[in-house]
Amino acid sequence: MTTKMCSKCKQEKTLTQFYNEKRVYCIECERKMARARMKRYNATFKGKAMAALNSSRKAVRKIEKETGRKIKDDLTFFDVAMVLDQSECTYCGKQTSTSKRTIDHITPLRYGGDNTFSNITMACRSCNSRKNDIPAFEYCLQQGMPFEEFEQIVDKIAQRNRISFGAAFKRLVEDMGVYYEAMLEQERKKIS
């Protein structure tokens, strides 16, 4: 069996421990270097935006499989980057460091939302975690958000969707209706 020295770890290894005979690093060293590169990349704004986009697409596939509903999925990297570039959390209004910014689906994918630019917003990690899988209106009610602050959220949604304030508010109310219907259905299943 032919052996070769890894240029990184300086160990003599068999050719099967290299991806191919022309490579100068062994598989183990190449993997370590790739993990380190990905860790550095994921710490960048671009890496964070790409990870958020990939995570949302993975959620779409999972929920489509669970529910059988086709989810509109036209979110792009630039959409995510634009939303993550906002420094103020939509829900708590606090300035959020880049490392704690997340994208949140205003209408959760599970309750009729789509993976589109008009359905995402920037939320700090703690607000996104607390909101979890509930519609924005319900979350704001649970948090006891003053109406003036809620109006600002509705206004952001209206502007992003190029619709009136009333149409945006109506959409949020309808989202709550879908959510409550799903909750009632879950309770019915538990009882039967």
Side-chain angles (χ1 to χ4, degrees), residues 63 67 69-72 105-116 119 133 135 171 174-179 182:
I63 293 169
T67 65
R69 179 177 79 86
K70 179 72 178 136
I71 298 172
K72 184 177 180 185
H105 290 90
I106 297 163
T107 302
L109 300 174
R110 186 169 306 284
Y111 301 112
D114 291 320
N115 199 34
T116 60
N119 191 41
D133 229 2
R171 173 185 156 194
E174 288 169 352
D175 292 347
M176 277 186 45
V178 171
Y179 172 73

Side-chain angles (χ1 to χ4, degrees), residues 2-15 17-18 23-29 32:
T2 309
T3 61
K4 183 177 179 174
M5 171 118 20
C6 172
S7 297
K8 181 79 173 167
C9 65
K10 306 292 186 210
Q11 293 180 6
E12 191 78 22
K13 298 189 175 189
T14 65
L15 285 180
Q17 292 175 299
F18 291 81
R23 302 295 267 269
V24 294
Y25 302 132
C26 66
I27 292 172
E28 184 180 343
C29 288
K32 284 179 185 175

Side-chain angles (χ1 to χ4, degrees), residues 16-174:
T16 59
Q17 292 175 299
F18 291 81
Y19 282 115
N20 66 46
E21 62 186 46
K22 294 180 183 177
R23 302 295 267 269
V24 294
Y25 302 132
C26 66
I27 292 172
E28 184 180 343
C29 288
E30 284 201 34
R31 287 181 177 167
K32 284 179 185 175
M33 292 183 316
R35 278 193 297 274
R37 273 193 315 273
M38 286 308 296
K39 188 174 182 177
R40 285 191 308 271
Y41 173 73
N42 288 335
T44 67
F45 182 80
K46 183 178 179 182
K48 186 164 183 53
M50 187 55 77
L53 177 61
N54 289 334
S55 177
S56 72
R57 288 180 175 160
K58 183 178 177 182
V60 165
R61 290 189 302 274
K62 178 184 176 197
I63 293 169
E64 282 180 337
K65 188 176 180 181
E66 288 174 4
T67 65
R69 179 177 79 86
K70 179 72 178 136
I71 298 172
K72 184 177 180 185
D73 183 16
D74 64 5
L75 196 60
T76 68
F77 168 79
F78 296 106
D79 295 335
V80 173
M82 190 181 314
V83 169
L84 288 179
D85 196 39
Q86 299 168 3
S87 61
E88 189 176 284
C89 175
T90 299
Y91 301 111
C92 68
K94 293 180 182 170
Q95 291 295 316
T96 305
S97 67
T98 306
S99 64
K100 294 185 179 170
R101 295 178 194 172
T102 65
I103 61 167
D104 175 60
H105 290 90
I106 297 163
T107 302
L109 300 174
R110 186 169 306 284
Y111 301 112
D114 291 320
N115 199 34
T116 60
F117 179 65
S118 63
N119 191 41
I120 63 169
T121 192
M122 194 286 284
C124 67
R125 192 175 292 145
S126 59
C127 282
N128 198 350
S129 179
R130 278 193 306 269
K131 181 180 173 285
N132 195 8
D133 229 2
I134 59 175
F137 195 177
E138 175 66 17
Y139 175 73
C140 293
L141 288 173
Q142 287 179 6
Q143 296 303 305
M145 182 180 288
F147 188 73
E148 297 78 29
E149 291 176 25
F150 180 69
E151 279 181 315
Q152 291 174 355
I153 293 172
V154 176
D155 196 44
K156 279 184 188 178
I157 294 168
Q159 288 175 16
R160 169 107 32 99
N161 288 285
R162 295 186 174 106
I163 57 178
S164 69
F165 181 92
F169 186 80
K170 181 180 177 186
R171 173 185 156 194
L172 292 173
V173 171
E174 288 169 352

